[in-house]
Amino acid sequence: MAENKTAMVVSAHSADFVWRAGGAVALYAARGWKVVVVCLSFGERGESAKLWRESGMTMEKVKATRREEALCAAEILGAEVNFLDLGDYPMRIRDEVLYKLAGLYRDFRPEFILTHSLKDPYNFDHPIVSHAAQEARIIAQAHGHEPSIPVIGAPGVFLFEPHQPEQCEWKPQVFLDITPVWEKKFAAFKMMSAQEHLWNYYERVALQRGTQGARNSGRSHMKYGEAYQRIFPQVTDVFE
Ligand SMILES: [Zn+2]
């Protein structure tokens, strides 16, 4: 067990971390890591279409429902969630949000950070959050930013899979074997009832990445996978 280690996920909307990184969250939580998810919005405008079809729906009800769904999913996966409630579609990142994120990095001191792809022509919030997650990381590394609090090291940044990878110029460079925690990830999907149409879609994605992971590694037992793109080079003294 690695009780003192932390991983962080920076998610634009309240469900992104479930579809795109739920396996990583469950895997590391099962290893004894603290996993902290930061949801910058609830996805209340752009990713809650099913709720908006209900009569008498209000913004506050949508946000409360999405918050509850995300908390239930995070509990299944083993993460804690911070909601920043910045609003979505459009999302805008003010300097104080960067300072808030930098403060969270310094509080939790993650070994690695998972966030969105650099591009996404279908979703402007996702690359904005990817940019903010990386800019805040660099602020948290800056000795002149709040000098009384120790700077962070160089946590790796991994970009999780967007909905349509080819259009986002995103390439899978790391396959994470999530077979042991797949049941947890799918149980977390079921908490996201506002986006029921995505449950089977992301099961197919996991099966596809699992097959590719097995083929690239000889891990014959690997059935479910999550794929990530690296930002920074791997540093090693052995080729693997
Ligand atoms: Zn999203």
Side-chain angles (χ1 to χ4, degrees), residues 50 61 128 160 230 232:
K50 188 178 165 194
K61 276 195 218 172
I128 285 172
F160 39 63
R230 302 187 68 98
F232 301 107

Side-chain angles (χ1 to χ4, degrees), residues 18-27 30 76-77 176-190 198-210 221-226:
V18 180
W19 317 119
R20 312 184 195 293
V25 172
L27 206 56
I76 289 170
L77 298 171
L176 188 70
D177 183 354
I178 62 164
T179 311
V181 293
W182 170 253
E183 295 304 325
K184 276 189 190 174
K185 181 167 179 176
F186 198 72
F189 283 5
K190 290 181 176 171
L198 292 179
W199 298 358
N200 290 333
Y201 180 89
Y202 278 103
E203 182 175 25
R204 293 197 301 275
V205 171
L207 284 166
Q208 186 79 355
R209 296 310 186 193
H221 65 276
M222 182 171 177
K223 185 175 179 193
Y224 295 98
E226 265 172 13

